[in-house]
Structure formats: structure tokens, C-alpha cells
Amino acid sequence: MVYKLRIILDTKEDIFRDIEIKDKQNLWNLHLGIKSAFSLMGDDLSIFNILDKDGIVVKTVPLEDMSDDGDGEIMSDVYINEVFTKPGDKIHFQYGFMDLWEFFCELVEIIDEKCVVNYPITVFRFGKLPLKAPSKTGAKSKKNGVMPLLDDDFPSFEDELKATSFEDEDEDDFDDDDDFDDNDDFDDDED
């Protein structure tokens, strides 16, 4: 069987691709199909988030194993027919690190396999892909790409310095040379 999936880019504009993939292929094959359909360059990290019927993430499947013990489930371990059981099932796909592309994947229909077709294949394209990953806030990214620092719960250095009183500190007199006179008794013997 072949699963027809609608891959929707998470943006204000309507941008999506329809991809057909065999039910016995895995999420790694779907990952490659999405990269091809949206012309995503590079070998960035990516993950699939398996969602329940309410859209809550029940399982995260990365491209590569990031677990400490090295036995985590990866995309090549999970087959398409394990993730999508009926039309309407959805998963979430994230691609990239600094520029994060986010997609929603929905099973549209299950159809018969066609001979001489190399799956996954893009069968429909709608909308023009932006040059950069869309931001979640919808604001235009700054030219230099620098992210502003978030406010934290720590006081600023200047505020902390003004609030600190040094009156209770011991008044040491560092002008006394008496403490260092003992060092004069030390002889360097050259033998």
C-alpha cells in the first residue's frame, strides 16, 4: 500500500506538498522525501514528533540517536504504517537547528501502489517556499541574525554593586613591610 501524505509548512501562507510513500518505508525515507519536496539543503538534524488525536506529542523520533546509552529509537527504526493508521492521523516534523523549519504531516489517503514508481515521490506542490525558515512570531528576522537576550531573574551587575556595602569588611593595612622582612633571612645556597 501507498500512503499519500500532505506536508504543510508552518507559516501564515498556504504552502504544502503531497508526498506518496510506501507503508513499509520508514520515517528516514519520509525525512528524505520532505527534504526533496521542499528543496531543503544540508544535512541538519531533524525530528518527528508523533502526535495523539488531540495533538499532544506522545513520542519523539530523532534522525540520529542522542541517548546516553546508544539504544534510542531513530527514524530508520519506525515504519510509516506504525505511525499512520488511518486518514487524518498527524505527525510534526522539525528540520534544522539555527533556522528551524516546521511541518505538519497528515495522512490524506491510502492507495494502491503503482508499478515503476520510486517512492517517496512528490505528487503535488502548492505555494512558493520562502528563502529562510519562517519565524514563529511572524516578525521579520534582523539582518545580522542576532537574537536578543531574554530577561532573566538575576539582578544586573550595576544594581548588585550599588546594593553591596563594604563597611563591614576588615580594614587591612597593606602598607606594612614588616610581614615581608622574614623573607630576608632566606639564603640561596649555590652548591
Side-chain angles (χ1 to χ4, degrees):
M1 301 304 294
V2 171
Y3 285 43
K4 183 175 184 179
L5 303 173
R6 175 148 297 161
I7 315 299
I8 305 165
L9 178 62
D10 187 12
T11 185
K12 291 180 183 178
E13 298 81 25
D14 290 333
I15 302 170
F16 65 88
R17 308 288 186 258
D18 288 349
I19 295 176
E20 292 180 357
I21 188 168
K22 290 181 187 178
D23 62 340
K24 294 294 182 191
Q25 288 182 296
N26 54 37
L27 289 179
W28 182 76
N29 299 115
L30 180 57
H31 155 83
L32 294 178
I34 294 171
K35 279 183 60 176
S36 174
F38 286 92
S39 302
L40 299 174
M41 306 307 276
D43 292 320
D44 290 343
L45 293 176
S46 58
I47 59 169
F48 281 101
N49 294 310
I50 313 300
L51 308 174
D52 66 6
K53 63 181 178 175
D54 297 323
I56 298 172
V57 176
V58 293
K59 180 166 65 168
T60 298
V61 183
L63 176 64
E64 298 177 15
D65 185 11
M66 302 290 184
S67 65
D68 291 336
D69 52 7
D71 62 354
E73 192 171 50
I74 59 174
M75 289 182 192
S76 58
D77 297 334
V78 180
Y79 292 96
I80 298 297
N81 62 2
E82 295 173 16
V83 175
F84 297 102
T85 57
K86 63 186 179 315
D89 286 351
K90 297 176 182 148
I91 62 174
H92 180 243
F93 177 67
Q94 294 178 320
Y95 179 79
F97 180 67
M98 295 301 286
D99 292 324
L100 186 62
W101 296 85
E102 295 191 68
F103 303 88
F104 293 98
C105 311
E106 180 178 359
L107 177 59
V108 177
E109 63 180 330
I110 301 172
I111 57 177
D112 293 326
E113 186 176 340
K114 299 174 187 137
C115 296
V116 298
V117 173
N118 190 15
Y119 295 99
I121 185 171
T122 304
V123 294
F124 185 73
R125 297 175 188 268
F126 184 86
K128 185 177 177 185
L129 191 68
L131 295 176
K132 291 186 175 185
S135 67
K136 294 299 282 181
T137 60
K140 298 206 181 230
S141 62
K142 294 186 177 184
K143 198 174 201 179
N144 60 5
V146 176
M147 293 176 43
L149 294 175
L150 299 176
D151 290 335
D152 53 21
D153 293 335
F154 300 107
S156 70
F157 177 75
E158 290 81 14
D159 293 341
E160 190 72 22
L161 185 61
K162 290 176 187 174
T164 304
S165 172
F166 293 104
E167 293 174 9
D168 60 344
E169 295 289 325
D170 292 335
E171 291 186 21
D172 292 331
D173 186 13
F174 293 107
D175 293 333
D176 292 339
D177 289 333
D178 296 336
D179 295 336
F180 298 106
D181 287 339
D182 295 335
N183 290 338
D184 293 338
D185 296 335
F186 181 72
D187 289 332
D188 288 333
D189 293 332
E190 294 180 20
D191 293 325

